[in-house]
Amino acid sequence: MSAVESAATAATRREQRLRRVLEYIETRLDEPLDTATLAGVAAFSRFHFHRQFAALAGCTARDYLAQARLRSAAWRLAYRPRQSVAQIALACGYGSPEAFARAFKAATGQTPSAFRRQPDWPTWQAREDALRHIRSTHMPNPPVPSAVRIVDFPATRIALLVHRGDPQRLGESIRRFIAWRRARHLPPSAAATYNLLYDDPAAVPADEFRLGLAVATTREITTADDGLVAAWIPAGRCAVLRHRGDDDGLGDTLRCLYADWLPDSGEALRDHPPFLQRLAAFPDVAADAACTDVFLPLR
């Protein structure tokens, strides 16, 4: 083996070790995680673990763990109103609600209760983007064109809320949507969740961005339904590619369908936006265990 090949192999092994640590952290946010434990997962000496982690990830393991816990806590505060602040603190690995409140306010400028009432979405998005960058760089899950399936999607009646405007404000629409379906006893376990991808956020001005939040239901929708309307996802053939992991990789899955699979498939696109079906979502499962089917409508 040449020196170049040997160096490449060593770099790959270091990346694999880092990925093991990131995956371990993501699935054990409620557990006490010390240096010795994480160093053991990485198979690094505990004397060198922090420097090795920081050199690869760009932050210390302690900082990554803190940010991962804060992210899970923020999502629970925003989207799981039935969980108390104390329950969220314990679920995210904090020793007490007081310790959680101090850490959350120091990081976000808001107390947990204030964030729950009125999240500062732009500030939080900036913090989350840093975590997403580390995950997408060191925990890639590249889609494979050979995994694409073609299915006959059945006509599905939905209750639809269309978010319009800055993608950083999407959380406000998600909260309205979750509150609506909870009030009508339509949990994800009983009623399928869909997203309609009308626009690419990278291709339109922020104030023109649209994304559909939908739940499958046959119930009557009225003008009193807080902006939701009755709609249909029409029946038709679709190419489907399953995405596993956090939403930061969904763009790669869509590019795989459009750029890698479609040109050689002999298929033609139907005049309907691509859409997602959320099968298992963060924070109900660990970020790397999230599962989403991506549908590309075909003629």
Side-chain angles (χ1 to χ4, degrees):
M1 180 182 296
S2 70
V4 172
E5 291 172 331
S6 179
T9 300
T12 298
R13 287 175 179 166
R14 286 194 296 271
E15 282 287 344
Q16 290 171 343
R17 291 178 178 187
L18 176 62
R19 178 167 184 153
R20 285 204 304 268
V21 176
L22 298 180
E23 290 174 345
Y24 190 89
I25 288 173
E26 293 288 347
T27 57
R28 293 169 175 82
L29 294 178
D30 60 336
E31 299 178 11
L33 299 175
D34 56 24
T35 298
T37 299
L38 296 179
V41 172
F44 285 139
S45 164
R46 65 187 179 89
F47 299 108
H48 306 295
F49 168 69
H50 281 307
R51 292 182 178 86
Q52 295 265 40
F53 187 100
L56 290 168
C59 68
T60 66
R62 184 186 298 275
D63 287 343
Y64 182 88
L65 173 59
Q67 185 62 13
R69 283 176 168 160
L70 286 168
R71 180 195 185 206
S72 181
W75 278 64
R76 292 169 187 268
L77 288 167
Y79 305 130
R80 300 295 181 267
R82 292 182 180 176
Q83 290 185 350
S84 69
V85 172
Q87 288 172 326
I88 292 171
L90 293 177
C92 296
Y94 294 92
S96 68
E98 293 77 18
F100 169 50
R102 288 194 297 272
F104 195 89
K105 185 171 184 180
T108 68
Q110 291 184 285
T111 65
S113 296
F115 182 89
R116 169 165 271 176
R117 287 193 303 271
Q118 188 65 48
D120 180 354
W121 294 114
T123 297
W124 180 254
Q125 186 65 45
R127 295 188 63 86
E128 188 165 2
D129 285 347
L131 191 67
R132 287 179 180 271
H133 175 72
I134 295 172
R135 290 178 50 80
S136 62
T137 301
H138 300 286
M139 298 177 70
N141 192 15
V144 180
S146 61
V148 175
R149 300 174 291 125
I150 295 181
V151 301
D152 289 316
F153 187 85
T156 301
R157 188 177 182 274
I158 55 175
L160 174 66
L161 175 66
V162 179
H163 169 85
R164 292 179 171 85
D166 193 337
Q168 290 194 352
R169 296 288 183 183
L170 180 59
E172 298 169 4
S173 297
I174 294 175
R175 279 158 63 95
R176 284 173 54 203
F177 174 70
I178 291 175
W180 183 90
R181 69 184 296 174
R182 180 178 290 113
R184 288 153 184 81
H185 307 290
L186 293 170
S189 59
T193 303
Y194 297 96
N195 292 155
L196 279 66
L197 309 182
Y198 298 115
D199 296 308
D200 179 350
V204 298
D207 60 353
E208 296 179 12
F209 174 74
R210 297 168 304 149
L211 183 137
L213 306 167
V215 55
T217 180
T218 58
R219 72 170 61 239
E220 182 180 359
I221 311 297
T222 70
T223 56
D225 277 299
D226 198 24
L228 280 89
V229 297
W232 288 85
I233 301 177
R237 296 171 68 249
C238 291
V240 187
L241 183 55
R242 181 155 293 181
H243 171 78
R244 296 190 183 276
D246 213 347
D247 279 10
D248 49 326
L250 277 172
D252 291 336
T253 301
L254 280 162
R255 280 190 290 274
C256 179
L257 280 166
Y258 279 103
D260 300 329
W261 177 81
L262 184 62
D264 297 327
S265 69
E267 299 286 348
L269 296 175
R270 182 159 35 103
D271 187 20
H272 188 275
F275 59 96
L276 315 176
Q277 182 178 359
R278 302 287 188 172
L279 303 176
F282 177 82
D284 298 321
V285 299
D288 60 335
C291 185
T292 304
D293 275 348
V294 182
F295 290 82
L296 193 63
L298 304 173
R299 290 181 185 170

